[in-house]
Amino acid sequence: MPSAPGPVPTLLDLHRTHRWLWLRCRATGCYHSRAVTLVRFMIVWRPDASSERLRRLSRCSRCGALGAQTFMPSFVDAVVGYQAWPSEADELPIGG
């Protein structure tokens, strides 16, 4: 029997392990991705805001759809560690 999912992490929970993450548009056929810093959303919505709010209210800068999936930076290797902030990254506008 599968176990029940755990609590949805807050923005602060995510920020404790990663300073930024990837948002990917959920619109069928778009799947546009952008890197975003978590502190930006913590300032607007407070650190204790649910990360679900980020997923629901992010608006794609390419197709305009509302809603995104979140992905943490990929682990590269023991020397590099996690993927560095992409220097060419623009951030998605905050929706809602």
Side-chain angles (χ1 to χ4, degrees), residues 16-17 42-43 48:
R16 285 184 176 129
T17 56
M42 290 169 55
I43 290 168
D48 61 349

Side-chain angles (χ1 to χ4, degrees), residues 11-91:
L11 296 176
L12 182 58
D13 293 335
L14 297 177
H15 190 261
R16 285 184 176 129
T17 56
H18 297 89
R19 301 293 185 235
W20 66 279
L21 52 75
W22 291 101
L23 289 178
R24 182 188 304 162
C25 179
R26 284 193 281 198
T28 303
C30 182
Y31 306 112
H32 181 233
S33 295
R34 284 284 171 101
V36 296
T37 57
L38 287 165
V39 71
R40 171 180 188 202
F41 299 100
M42 290 169 55
I43 290 168
V44 174
W45 295 326
R46 298 180 13 172
D48 61 349
S50 171
S51 58
E52 184 58 31
R53 187 173 192 178
L54 177 60
R55 287 185 281 280
R56 278 193 337 261
L57 298 179
S58 293
R59 184 172 299 279
C60 182
S61 61
R62 180 175 290 163
C63 75
L66 196 58
Q69 296 172 308
T70 55
F71 295 91
M72 296 302 177
S74 299
F75 188 78
V76 178
D77 60 31
V79 175
V80 175
Y82 287 95
Q83 194 177 35
W85 170 261
S87 60
E88 72 282 355
D90 292 340
E91 292 200 356

